[in-house]
Amino acid sequence: MNKIMNWNWRGIRAIIRKDLLVVFKNRMVVAPMLILPIIFTLLLPILVGVLYLNAPADNKEFADAIGDFESLIRNIPLTDTTLASLDSVKAQSLYLIYMYLFVPFFLMLPVMTGSIVAADSFAGEKERKTLEALLHTPLSDFELYLAKWLSPLITAMILTAISAVMYGVVVNGVMLSGFGLIIFPNWSWIVLLIWVVPAIACMGLGVTVWASSRVSTFQEAYQAGSFVILPITLLFVGQAAGVIYFDVSVSLLLGAVVWAVDFFLYTWGARQFSRGAILSRLT
């Protein structure tokens, strides 16, 4: 603990501040970082709510979709008392969509929004011809690597927090107008947002930062980091298929596993990182 307290936190904060200023001054970078949360956590939930609340009762396609959800609801391995208390299949279906099927979007969101900052961490410095100045900062290799990891993580978590607020307003607005209920957030979502989402963001962005330190261009680092989305996509498929649902116990277990992986990735990556090695790789 004393060793951590003795780190050059002033220098680490300076690197983080500089990275965020570089990114957020570029409108071409900021735009896609904002568009994704707006689509996934604002427009898409609104569209789902409008379609469900205004679908005519005699619409065959809607009736078939409701029938599919009714079958899925019966097979859910959950003890969700709120879901069980809803007295219509339409309400249960909408609850299921909002509270479970949207979860993978929040797992992908911080990785997708922060990956631009992560990919820029070292490869972008080289392309802007600022790498040499960066490597002469009064930070140890361990501290410099930590600063470059924290920059995208902070960005991603700020955007995720804003997205969660927007999502909660939409979800509660739809459910309140249609069924008189406020459902977001419940304990599963609280654990997910506080415990699981930061862990997955740390893992995905850490891989991208590591890639950025070993490749020559921003584009190469960005593409290398995109592979982290694949395991999250499998979670999305698992939820849609009814194989896995993120209740409190699943979220606690998954978060613990991912945080352990994060610890390994950071310590391994920091030990591999050195100023001399990065200069030789990026030239």
Side-chain angles (χ1 to χ4, degrees), residues 217-245:
T217 65
F218 166 86
Q219 192 62 35
E220 288 178 296
Y222 189 78
Q223 291 174 348
S226 64
F227 287 105
V228 181
I229 296 294
L230 292 177
I232 303 175
T233 304
L234 294 178
L235 293 175
F236 182 88
V237 174
Q239 284 232 125
V243 176
I244 182 174
Y245 289 93

Side-chain angles (χ1 to χ4, degrees), residues 13-274:
R13 287 195 299 270
I15 294 293
I16 294 172
R17 189 181 307 112
K18 187 266 298 179
D19 286 350
L20 298 183
L21 286 174
V22 168
V23 170
F24 286 107
K25 282 182 179 179
N26 189 337
R27 293 182 180 179
M28 298 300 292
V29 171
V30 173
M33 293 173 64
L34 297 178
I35 289 173
L36 287 173
I38 290 173
I39 292 175
F40 288 149
T41 65
L42 189 64
L43 298 181
L44 192 55
I46 289 175
L47 178 62
V48 170
V50 169
L51 290 176
Y52 257 77
L53 296 182
N54 296 283
D58 58 351
N59 185 291
K60 183 178 184 304
E61 293 181 357
F62 182 73
D64 290 341
I66 288 291
D68 292 338
F69 271 110
E70 186 175 12
S71 176
L72 183 60
I73 290 168
R74 285 197 299 267
N75 295 314
I76 293 178
L78 291 171
T79 56
D80 192 319
T81 55
T82 303
L83 179 63
S85 68
L86 297 175
D87 57 4
S88 72
V89 177
K90 179 187 281 191
Q92 290 178 332
S93 300
L94 198 53
Y95 179 89
L96 180 67
I97 292 172
Y98 279 148
M99 301 305 286
Y100 294 101
L101 298 189
F102 266 91
V103 166
F105 289 127
F106 277 86
L107 299 181
M108 290 189 290
L109 192 62
V111 178
M112 295 172 70
T113 55
S115 59
I116 296 175
V117 184
D120 186 77
S121 57
F122 291 107
E125 298 276 5
K126 186 219 179 233
E127 291 181 333
R128 291 191 298 272
K129 311 298 183 184
T130 57
L131 178 63
E132 186 174 354
L134 173 71
L135 297 180
H136 282 89
T137 55
L139 295 174
S140 67
D141 290 347
F142 203 82
E143 291 165 343
L144 179 57
Y145 194 76
L146 175 64
K148 287 297 188 179
W149 195 325
L150 288 177
S151 296
L153 182 61
I154 291 171
T155 303
M157 295 318 301
I158 290 174
L159 290 173
T160 301
I162 295 172
S163 299
V165 171
M166 292 192 301
Y167 184 72
V169 170
V170 172
V171 167
N172 288 330
V174 171
M175 296 299 290
L176 190 61
S177 63
F179 310 102
L181 290 173
I182 293 178
I183 63 172
F184 186 92
N186 59 11
W187 280 111
S188 295
W189 271 90
I190 291 172
V191 172
L192 184 90
L193 292 171
I194 294 176
W195 179 244
V196 181
V197 171
I200 290 182
C202 193
M203 179 180 66
L205 299 176
V207 170
T208 307
V209 169
W210 176 83
S212 182
S213 71
R214 304 184 71 88
V215 299
S216 300
T217 65
F218 166 86
Q219 192 62 35
E220 288 178 296
Y222 189 78
Q223 291 174 348
S226 64
F227 287 105
V228 181
I229 296 294
L230 292 177
I232 303 175
T233 304
L234 294 178
L235 293 175
F236 182 88
V237 174
Q239 284 232 125
V243 176
I244 182 174
Y245 289 93
F246 284 90
D247 58 10
V248 173
S249 59
V250 170
S251 294
L252 287 172
L253 178 60
L254 178 62
V257 171
V258 177
W259 278 117
V261 173
D262 291 341
F263 178 79
F264 168 78
L265 285 176
Y266 177 73
T267 53
W268 179 81
R271 288 170 182 168
Q272 296 291 318
F273 177 80
S274 69

